[in-house]
Amino acid sequence: MRRQKAHGELGFTLLELLVVMVIIGLLAAYVGPKYFSQVGKSEIKMAQAQIDALEKSLHQYRLDVGSYPATEQGLSALVNRPGNEPRWQGPYLSKLPPADPWGRPYVYKYPGERAEFDLLSYGKDGQPGGEGEAADITNW
């Protein structure tokens, strides 16, 4: 339904533009939630992968030193030699451990309450427990 203007130019009517905008809005309303749910799933998978990598580094630390780093030493013991560890062969990571996908540091406890050591992220909400994206991501 293009109309020809006086000088031979073609254009769209206001009604045609509104119909196109409604169609684009409907598509965005349908695709948007599906896209954003995938973003949440990818953050969870990233946290699981980072916890797995940190766990492997902690196991290597234990093989060299004889025990896991104390809670007070934390994950930084994987990068910087603790002052009282002569058998330390690190660094076990190339840089300080990253924050979880939501920007908070991973929680490390040794000895652990649920495993030999506890390594976890509190998920999207940053609080213990939760469900879905707010669920804790752990090494146990």
Side-chain angles (χ1 to χ4, degrees), residues 78-131:
L78 298 173
V79 179
N80 302 313
R81 177 192 296 269
N84 59 348
E85 296 295 348
R87 297 187 326 191
W88 190 83
Q89 299 295 315
Y92 301 95
L93 295 172
S94 59
K95 57 185 176 179
L96 287 174
D100 70 11
W102 299 279
R104 291 181 288 278
Y106 286 98
V107 177
Y108 170 74
K109 297 176 189 171
Y110 177 75
E113 297 171 9
R114 297 246 175 123
E116 202 167 2
F117 61 86
D118 293 347
L119 183 59
L120 62 125
S121 165
Y122 287 127
K124 186 175 185 175
D125 66 352
Q127 302 295 320
E131 295 180 9

Side-chain angles (χ1 to χ4, degrees), residues 9-130:
E9 295 179 20
L10 295 177
F12 295 102
T13 66
L14 180 59
L15 181 61
E16 290 172 326
L17 291 175
L18 289 173
V19 168
V20 169
M21 290 175 57
V22 167
I23 291 171
I24 290 172
L26 290 172
L27 286 172
Y30 178 73
V31 174
K34 292 183 185 246
Y35 171 75
F36 287 112
S37 73
Q38 294 301 319
V39 170
K41 288 179 185 174
S42 67
E43 289 172 332
I44 292 169
K45 287 181 181 178
M46 181 186 300
Q48 290 169 334
Q50 288 176 337
I51 285 175
D52 185 51
L54 291 170
E55 188 175 22
K56 288 176 181 168
S57 297
L58 285 163
H59 289 314
Q60 184 63 46
Y61 179 98
R62 183 184 59 87
L63 287 173
D64 289 346
V65 174
S67 68
Y68 293 105
T71 302
E72 297 78 32
Q73 294 170 321
L75 297 174
S76 64
L78 298 173
V79 179
N80 302 313
R81 177 192 296 269
N84 59 348
E85 296 295 348
R87 297 187 326 191
W88 190 83
Q89 299 295 315
Y92 301 95
L93 295 172
S94 59
K95 57 185 176 179
L96 287 174
D100 70 11
W102 299 279
R104 291 181 288 278
Y106 286 98
V107 177
Y108 170 74
K109 297 176 189 171
Y110 177 75
E113 297 171 9
R114 297 246 175 123
E116 202 167 2
F117 61 86
D118 293 347
L119 183 59
L120 62 125
S121 165
Y122 287 127
K124 186 175 185 175
D125 66 352
Q127 302 295 320

